[in-house]
Amino acid sequence: MNEMELKQVVAEVVRKLGSQPVIKTKAAPKAGIGQGVFENMDEAIKAAKTAQQELHVMPLEFREKIITRIKEKIMENKEVLAQMAVHETGMGKIGHKILKHELVAKKTPGTECIKTRAWSGDQGLTVIESGPFGVVGAITPSTNPSETVFCNAIGMIAAGNTVVFNSHPNAAGTSNFAVQLVNEAAVEVGGFENLATSVLKPTVESGNMLFKHPDIQLLVATGGPGVVKAILQSGKRGIAAGAGNPPVLVDETANIKKAAADIINGATFDNNLPCIAEKEIIVVAEVADELIHYMTSENDCYMLQGEQIEKLVQTVLVEKNGHYTVNRDYVGRDASVILKGIGIEVPESIRCILFEASKEHILVVEELMMPVLGIVRVKNVDEGIEVAKLLEGGNRHSAHMHSSNVYNLTKYGKALDTAIFVKNAPSYAGIGFGGEGFTTFTIASKTGEGLTNAATFTKSRRCVMADALYIR
Ligand code: NAD
């Protein structure tokens, strides 16, 4: 199978699983106290500290053994985890969440990311090795509640750390179950518990304890602007994977039929919950009608007109003192549910809602995280790049483009300056799904580490032997 055929298969699977209503699985477990889940944050940190001291003296091979078993556990539990997340949060699509877990299991790297550099010469041997920080404090989102726990845990354990999670309160059951699976995996290969720990009922207060605790050496936050601000003000080293509002630009040289299919596949994946997903379309006027035609006639999109757009604003946003926030009742919901909210009945097969708007429109400017895409027409690619830059909002997170002109692609990539830039593919290719490279669900956009892996969670340590061990 060539690369193009493989991409088509991925797109077809995404489309099919997205329209699957509910996959029946065995009853979802309820995560209680035990196997790394504690009543309070002090206990969770203490246990992770003890476990880190044990892990640090074990061989690297042992870390790899644990990681292999964690990945098997993810595959064994992917349906249950996907179902738990959708039931607990009310967001996303079970079929797509199963694919996300498969991706984590197959493409999250381990100890192979950790490299040593060496210098040898007349004055001896110097190496720079990457060592663990110790105990990491990690904050996880409701949008990928178990995927983030697994990705973080694999990378952090590979680096020799243990990790204490403070999960989103609305997804704590799913995140805590993932924590328990990590520990179960470790014990099953002859290891010990508490490589990952968490609290049964996480709160902002328990998160603050994590931020301030002297035994936490590194903080990693995956979430929106609130937690990113909190982590950057904590006084500790912080890795911040924040919000995005990824634009997708389509120029007149693009394969428009393919661009339409790719954009809708990317934007409807898990109902637009991924931070990397296309959140608004910018299209050169010359090809705008053609793009809309393919999206509505071949990709199950519903185009809103006139007053319907205003109704959508009133429904999916909440206004307080002239400031808009997203109505959580509609985040990650099916397009048909959102349309029902504004009095439009459509079949469940409708995947995405479209509307045309100006670049200032609130639904285009806000990160909605639902299958709703505003379309902004521009006169040419240069105007398109300016508009995309504005709408990306300086997050420097993700931006995508469809074009066959390498100079336009290059100009866009340089101007947007984002951690992820996907060309001529759905956005999920940027995390290794239908694209090359490893995966992660923590994309450190704000602090610049980009797609995190085990190496991100290490610190650099220089080890010098003077006048010996030089054998050249
Ligand atoms: P959220 O910001 O509501 O919550 C994320 C986490 O931060 C939760 O654990 C929450 O309890 C905690 N939190 C929120 N405000 C806090 C504060 N002031 N102090 C301490 N902790 C706080 O986000 P969500 O709805 O769960 O997830 C969606 C958001 O996360 C989107 O903005 C999305 O773009 C972003 N996200 C980013 C990445 C990435 O890799 N860059 C990945 C997933 C999600």
Side-chain angles (χ1 to χ4, degrees):
M1 198 182 285
N2 66 32
E3 201 190 329
M4 190 55 88
E5 284 165 344
L6 189 67
K7 282 199 170 113
Q8 278 163 1
V9 170
V10 169
E12 195 47 35
V13 170
V14 166
R15 194 177 177 138
K16 276 207 180 117
L17 286 182
S19 58
Q20 216 161 353
V22 174
I23 295 170
K24 292 270 177 236
T25 63
K26 56 188 170 178
K30 251 193 162 27
I33 297 283
Q35 291 178 296
V37 179
F38 290 84
E39 190 78 47
N40 68 61
M41 191 48 93
D42 259 338
E43 287 171 350
I45 295 173
K46 205 170 156 201
K49 188 180 174 187
T50 307
Q52 203 273 329
Q53 285 158 353
E54 286 182 67
L55 180 70
H56 201 182
V57 294
M58 303 296 273
L60 277 184
E61 197 185 346
F62 176 68
R63 296 184 203 168
E64 264 313 310
K65 244 170 125 178
I66 296 170
I67 290 165
T68 303
R69 186 67 193 120
I70 293 172
K71 291 179 174 185
E72 288 165 1
K73 285 258 167 210
I74 298 171
M75 292 302 278
E76 288 161 15
N77 290 278
K78 61 187 179 183
E79 284 96 358
V80 173
L81 287 157
Q83 186 178 287
M84 279 179 91
V86 172
H87 286 176
E88 186 174 16
T89 65
M91 305 190 296
K93 290 200 159 286
I94 291 174
H96 289 164
K97 285 195 188 289
I98 293 172
L99 293 177
K100 285 161 76 175
H101 283 88
E102 285 175 1
L103 181 65
V104 172
K106 287 178 185 156
K107 284 197 146 184
T108 307
T111 54
E112 70 272 24
C113 296
I114 301 166
K115 305 269 191 265
T116 298
R117 282 186 292 159
W119 293 260
S120 73
D122 294 343
Q123 292 185 319
L125 173 70
T126 293
V127 295
I128 292 188
E129 289 193 314
S130 302
F133 274 89
V135 185
V136 182
I139 315 291
T140 57
S142 57
T143 47
N144 312 311
S146 42
E147 300 90 328
T148 314
V149 166
F150 289 127
C151 262
N152 282 182
I154 290 171
M156 289 164 188
I157 292 168
N161 304 289
T162 56
V163 48
V164 184
F165 287 103
N166 198 65
S167 311
H168 196 292
N170 297 350
T174 313
S175 298
N176 283 339
F177 181 51
V179 165
Q180 292 178 327
L181 289 177
V182 168
N183 290 309
E184 224 173 78
V187 170
E188 282 171 12
V189 295
F192 37 85
E193 284 192 349
N194 303 326
L195 295 179
T197 65
S198 61
V199 286
L200 186 65
K201 292 192 176 139
T203 56
V204 170
E205 290 70 43
S206 59
N208 282 335
M209 283 180 71
L210 199 58
F211 291 172
K212 294 194 183 116
H213 202 286
D215 288 335
I216 299 293
Q217 282 85 24
L218 170 69
L219 291 168
V220 179
T222 310
V227 70
V228 166
K229 191 169 168 204
I231 210 167
L232 295 178
Q233 290 176 345
S234 69
K236 288 187 196 280
R237 165 131 163 78
I239 295 173
N245 189 35
V248 54
L249 174 60
V250 183
D251 80 7
E252 69 284 4
T253 70
N255 175 340
I256 303 300
K257 185 177 159 85
K258 181 178 181 300
D262 284 353
I263 292 170
I264 300 308
N265 279 331
T268 58
F269 189 55
D270 208 17
N271 274 342
N272 203 256
L273 289 180
C275 52
I276 56 158
E278 297 84 348
K279 299 274 189 293
E280 62 276 338
I281 302 170
I282 299 141
V283 56
V284 172
E286 194 182 322
V287 290
D289 290 340
E290 193 185 346
L291 185 73
I292 293 169
H293 162 76
Y294 282 122
M295 289 194 292
T296 50
S297 66
E298 293 188 6
N299 291 282
D300 306 309
C301 293
Y302 187 93
M303 188 81 185
L304 295 180
Q305 308 289 347
E307 278 178 11
Q308 293 172 334
I309 303 169
E310 188 45 38
K311 250 185 168 170
L312 188 68
V313 174
Q314 302 307 327
T315 307
V316 302
L317 295 178
V318 182
E319 198 230 302
K320 207 175 167 191
N321 306 327
H323 181 71
Y324 285 97
T325 52
V326 176
N327 181 348
R328 300 291 302 198
D329 291 347
Y330 288 96
V331 170
R333 295 299 167 119
D334 291 352
S336 59
V337 172
I338 299 168
L339 285 170
K340 199 170 180 187
I342 60 168
I344 300 171
E345 293 284 345
V346 295
E348 280 180 11
S349 56
I350 290 295
R351 299 159 72 204
C352 192
I353 303 166
L354 304 173
F355 61 95
E356 275 204 59
S358 71
K359 63 180 188 297
E360 292 84 15
H361 196 282
I362 187 68
L363 289 180
V364 175
V365 174
E366 281 292 318
E367 183 201 29
L368 297 177
M369 292 185 290
M370 51 188 86
V372 172
L373 289 181
I375 303 168
V376 181
R377 281 182 201 242
V378 289
K379 60 178 186 299
N380 56 34
V381 73
D382 289 324
E383 189 192 350
I385 292 171
E386 280 309 305
V387 171
K389 202 169 168 183
L390 184 83
L391 294 176
E392 208 279 322
N395 295 311
R396 291 188 167 77
H397 190 299
S398 298
H400 317 299
M401 185 169 177
H402 293 265
S403 171
S404 59
N405 181 324
V406 291
Y407 302 104
N408 288 352
L409 289 165
T410 308
K411 227 187 317 184
Y412 183 76
K414 279 191 178 172
L416 272 286
D417 192 25
T418 47
I420 292 183
F421 171 27
V422 175
K423 301 171 274 293
N424 300 325
S427 51
Y428 47 65
I431 51 166
F433 189 53
E436 286 299 328
F438 68 89
T439 201
T440 179
F441 280 79
T442 295
I443 298 138
S445 42
K446 267 286 179 245
T447 44
E449 292 82 358
L451 285 88
T452 56
N453 62 38
T456 320
F457 310 122
T458 60
K459 62 182 182 192
S460 180
R461 302 184 63 203
R462 186 165 173 147
C463 191
V464 180
M465 167 62 85
D467 302 327
L469 290 181
Y470 163 54
I471 54 167
R472 272 196 277 167

